[in-house]
Amino acid sequence: MGARLVAGGEGAHFSVWAPNARSISVIGEWNAWDAARDPLHAARGGVWTGFVPAARRGMLYKFRIVGADGVAHDKADPYALMSEAPPATASVVWDHAYDWGDATWLARRAERQAPTAPMSIYEVHLGSWMRGPGGEHLSYRAVAPKLIAHVRALGFTHVELMPLTEHPFYGSWGYQATGYFAPTRRYGEPQELMALIDALHQAGIGVILDWVPAHFPNDGHGLVHFDGTHLYEHADPRRGVHPDWNTLIFNLARHEVRSFLLSSALMWLQVFHVDGLRVDAVASMLYLDYSRKEGQWLPNHLGGRENLEAIEFLRALNQAIHAEVPGAIVIAEESTAWPGVSHRVEDGGLGFDFKWDMGWMHDTLRYFGRDPVTRAQHHRDVTFRMMYAYSERFMLPLSHDEVVHGKGSLVRKMSPGTGGGSARLANLRLLYAYMFGLPGKKLLFMGDEFAQVREWNHDGQLDWGLLAEAEHAGLMKWVGRLGHLLRAEPALYELDHDPLGFRWAVVDDYKRSTLAFLRRPRQGAVILVILNFTPMTWTNYTVPFEAPGEWVRMLSSDEAQFGGAGHDGPERLIADHSAGGALPCAATLDLPPLTALVYRGPEVKAYDAAALELRESLAAEAEAAREGAVTG
């Protein structure tokens, strides 16, 4: 489909799906945009085709479509490989020729992206991450060495690029796409994006791309009313118009529309070597009444609110990706309690590899926004997540959605208590330790690593000048230490989705707003995380253990190098039988205020029969608790 150059580049075949069109011509630079010179011919299945000898690589073109209504419209090619730089809207005859150098990365991709592998993702909007000296966008090639150096320094395993599919309105951040096969021209040609991905891979960094099959904009040159009928979208606005964004919803009952989207997804993975897709707005696809009031939506043929066509499409998408691109992953941004999002299709699930844990994000940010004096009354906000943590393969996101549209920056969400800006940064260090310590993969939006103070603005670049201030530079150093610790310690990632990998040490000390938990690997050193969510120092604080042993401090968020006050906590904890009472063993310490402490403890042996039995028991308890919480 689209424009495909013949061998030697002298001429191109054009194909476009428009079953209800009366006539279609290719208009372009070579024929002075004259619709009479290069007509296409109707073939089977509603596809129009033709060969244009004068078409050459780099030439602009569109389709002149006389629709079923008799009206002529000039449309961009839905399958174009490249588009004219916005705000211009023509398509460009192009190819995908590129000499890749990432074979080593691809050979190990499946291993690096397995549920048992470390994964921490840096979410990036390329147009506003960093700009040139005159405020201009950096090209895909120009941004590559800067982005790679930054990501490697912070220990992230992946970057997630907000949508790069061509989009007419820059302020949509790419979430309203017209070119599902063309990377946006704002930052260069397709081969330049390939070079960026290639360079990231050669630096050991994976690439995830945001992809949007939920809706598309109503720009006249795009998919809307493509052949004079509602071809890609539903005709009935109760199914076809998205009320939140005034966009159009794909008609997934049409197999050609499903094929269009499946082909787009596979192209990004196969041709551009992208390692995974994060599918946007999945919840809006699953529910027919999403964001609609009574009378504004149509039930399915069974009378329910589930979008049966979307469910089948998402299952087919995930099955196709896993079959055609082994090792690639698919992540769902799904904000409801839809069951089995990350379960296998064969088991009744949707087939995604991971699901964003939006509940954790909302609970956590609400908790950190509270004055520490009142946190004791809301302790459940930081413990409830473990009641359902193993119901899906979760990813913990602190994404761009939390720092736009008047929500303020992440650091501004932190309660200052009585400590002002320093307390906000202490809370942010504490938040990141809590996030990196919990089971689940991690995602952090750009700018949050150094506490961007202003709300994110896509029309500029990040406030990199803040790194001249010690506290902001210290926070970024803290994020880097957490990122590298995550990769170095199997306890922090290997059993992310296995109940045996997590155990509370202190869970119900709400009066002092503290938590302590253990992370264990299949085999190796156990990690202890202790969190004090108050500005109080708790002296002789007791942490229980099941066995005696020595625990060595690896990190303290209050160290001066991270912007803290220098209350580092003890270098060692000795767990012994001295506590007496009901505790098998315990260690005591003075717990610094608003501080996270991370200790490395004794090594554990590989799974044995007792451990496997314990895992099954814990999983059953977690499932029962989750069902009880949902019912309640």
Side-chain angles (χ1 to χ4, degrees):
M1 303 295 288
R4 294 296 178 265
L5 288 162
V6 298
E10 296 187 0
H13 288 282
F14 289 84
S15 298
V16 63
W17 177 58
N20 304 299
R22 296 185 181 181
S23 67
I24 302 180
S25 297
V26 186
I27 56 176
E29 289 186 291
W30 61 85
N31 63 17
W33 305 90
D34 182 357
R37 293 175 53 183
D38 291 302
L40 299 182
H41 307 284
R44 291 193 307 172
V47 176
W48 295 70
T49 65
F51 178 67
V52 179
R56 296 292 185 273
R57 189 178 192 266
M59 287 185 170
L60 303 178
Y61 72 99
K62 280 189 175 181
F63 293 122
R64 174 71 53 81
I65 300 177
V66 178
D69 53 5
V71 178
H73 294 282
D74 293 346
K75 292 284 190 176
D77 182 357
Y79 299 89
L81 304 184
M82 187 166 79
S83 299
E84 197 175 7
T89 59
S91 301
V92 182
V93 179
W94 206 250
D95 59 37
H96 280 151
Y98 181 80
D99 186 16
W100 288 90
D102 62 348
T104 300
W105 166 269
L106 294 179
R108 293 191 58 199
R109 178 167 65 185
E111 170 193 344
R112 291 172 183 256
Q113 299 195 147
T116 54
M119 187 177 296
S120 57
I121 301 169
Y122 185 58
E123 186 189 23
V124 177
H125 179 260
L126 274 185
S128 57
W129 182 72
M130 186 179 289
R131 294 195 172 186
E136 70 278 9
H137 288 138
L138 295 179
S139 70
Y140 295 117
R141 286 188 184 273
V143 81
K146 304 176 191 300
L147 182 61
I148 288 168
H150 188 66
V151 170
R152 292 187 73 174
L154 296 180
F156 287 105
T157 64
H158 290 69
V159 295
E160 180 177 314
L161 302 174
M162 290 168 65
L164 294 176
T165 40
E166 190 60 85
H167 48 286
F169 177 45
Y170 177 67
S172 78
W173 315 324
Y175 291 101
Q176 295 185 17
T178 51
Y180 273 75
F181 294 80
T184 181
R185 190 73 180 278
R186 290 173 176 86
Y187 317 126
E189 298 173 351
Q191 280 76 4
E192 293 185 88
L193 174 57
M194 292 176 182
L196 168 60
I197 295 169
D198 200 358
L200 285 161
H201 282 173
Q202 292 185 47
I205 301 165
V207 181
I208 297 166
L209 181 66
D210 276 13
W211 184 72
V212 190
H215 60 124
F216 61 92
N218 56 16
D219 295 74
H221 70 282
L223 300 177
V224 60
H225 219 235
F226 190 76
D227 64 355
T229 69
H230 297 284
L231 188 63
Y232 285 88
E233 71 273 23
H234 291 273
D236 192 320
R238 291 173 293 178
R239 291 290 303 273
V241 177
H242 200 296
D244 286 347
W245 304 304
N246 193 31
T247 52
L248 303 174
I249 298 171
F250 283 105
N251 183 354
L252 296 174
R254 292 184 182 270
H255 69 84
E256 297 92 344
V257 173
R258 296 194 302 272
S259 175
F260 172 81
L261 291 170
L262 286 169
S263 298
S264 168
L266 289 171
M267 184 211 68
W268 291 107
L269 294 162
Q270 293 175 323
V271 176
F272 283 85
H273 289 203
V274 167
D275 302 296
L277 299 177
R278 177 267 197 183
V279 181
D280 182 66
V282 170
S284 75
M285 299 177 68
L286 293 174
Y287 299 96
L288 295 169
D289 62 346
Y290 183 88
S291 199
R292 297 176 188 270
K293 298 177 182 178
E294 187 175 351
Q296 297 179 343
W297 62 281
L298 295 175
N300 61 40
H301 71 277
L302 300 175
R305 59 196 285 254
E306 300 82 10
N307 188 331
L308 302 179
E309 292 91 355
I311 294 167
E312 290 309 307
F313 167 75
L314 292 171
R315 287 172 170 165
L317 168 73
N318 289 318
Q319 287 182 312
I321 288 174
H322 293 137
E324 299 292 334
V325 196
I329 58 173
V330 197
I331 304 163
E333 187 221 8
E334 203 287 307
S335 55
T336 74
W338 187 280
V341 171
S342 60
H343 294 192
R344 298 191 316 160
V345 172
E346 296 82 353
D347 296 330
L350 295 182
F352 286 93
D353 294 280
F354 301 100
K355 170 183 171 172
W356 276 18
D357 190 346
M358 308 292 279
W360 169 84
M361 178 273 295
H362 287 300
D363 288 349
T364 299
L365 292 183
R366 182 171 59 244
Y367 182 84
F368 275 87
R370 298 186 188 280
D371 190 300
V373 173
T374 68
R375 286 178 179 173
Q377 303 166 37
H378 304 279
H379 196 63
R380 189 172 180 268
D381 283 347
V382 285
T383 61
F384 176 69
R385 191 257 171 176
M386 293 311 300
M387 300 288 281
Y388 64 85
Y390 303 106
S391 61
E392 301 274 5
R393 285 194 299 271
F394 280 116
M395 183 171 288
L396 307 181
L398 294 173
S399 75
H400 69 276
D401 280 328
E402 312 322 314
V403 294
V404 291
H405 300 319
K407 296 177 185 176
S409 65
L410 203 59
V411 70
R412 287 291 185 185
K413 294 179 189 295
M414 303 294 103
S415 171
T418 58
S422 294
R424 289 187 192 273
L425 285 162
N427 271 291
L428 203 53
R429 293 193 298 272
L430 191 56
L431 166 61
Y432 293 157
Y434 171 63
M435 173 186 182
F436 273 76
L438 284 178
K441 309 310 179 186
K442 330 296 178 188
L443 180 139
L444 189 65
F445 183 55
M446 65 181 198
D448 291 338
E449 72 273 26
F450 60 82
Q452 166 113 355
V453 177
R454 293 187 305 141
E455 185 176 86
W456 171 50
N457 177 13
H458 61 263
D459 284 323
Q461 68 171 359
L462 297 181
D463 294 330
W464 295 103
L466 287 172
L467 289 173
E469 301 179 23
E471 283 190 322
H472 290 272
L475 177 72
M476 192 164 85
K477 190 173 184 180
W478 174 245
V479 171
R481 288 292 293 276
L482 288 171
H484 286 290
L485 182 70
L486 174 72
R487 300 175 71 146
E489 295 294 338
L492 292 175
Y493 63 81
E494 202 170 41
L495 300 180
D496 268 339
H497 312 293
D498 187 327
L500 200 60
F502 177 91
R503 201 70 183 268
W504 287 115
V506 177
V507 63
D508 57 358
D509 191 1
Y510 67 92
K511 291 182 178 179
R512 289 182 287 190
S513 298
T514 62
L515 290 177
F517 55 82
L518 301 167
R519 297 295 309 278
R520 64 160 285 173
R522 285 196 178 98
Q523 182 173 343
V526 179
I527 297 296
L528 168 68
V529 180
I530 309 174
L531 306 161
N532 179 4
F533 297 112
T534 75
M536 304 293 292
T537 298
W538 303 120
T539 59
N540 294 319
Y541 192 86
T542 300
V543 179
F545 294 93
E546 293 181 347
E550 182 180 60
W551 298 76
V552 179
R553 192 187 75 224
M554 304 189 73
L555 287 177
S556 168
S557 66
D558 203 45
E559 290 183 42
Q561 63 173 321
F562 304 130
H567 303 128
D568 299 348
E571 290 187 6
R572 283 176 168 74
L573 297 180
I574 306 298
D576 55 31
H577 297 283
S578 61
L583 301 177
C585 291
T588 60
L589 72 156
D590 290 345
L591 190 52
L594 292 176
T595 296
L597 300 174
V598 181
Y599 288 86
R600 193 172 195 266
E603 296 199 355
V604 294
K605 295 180 180 179
Y607 283 150
D608 55 25
L612 292 173
E613 184 178 345
L614 173 62
R615 178 174 62 178
E616 296 301 321
S617 173
L618 290 170
E621 289 178 13
E623 178 64 18
R626 185 187 71 82
E627 290 181 358
V630 171
T631 303

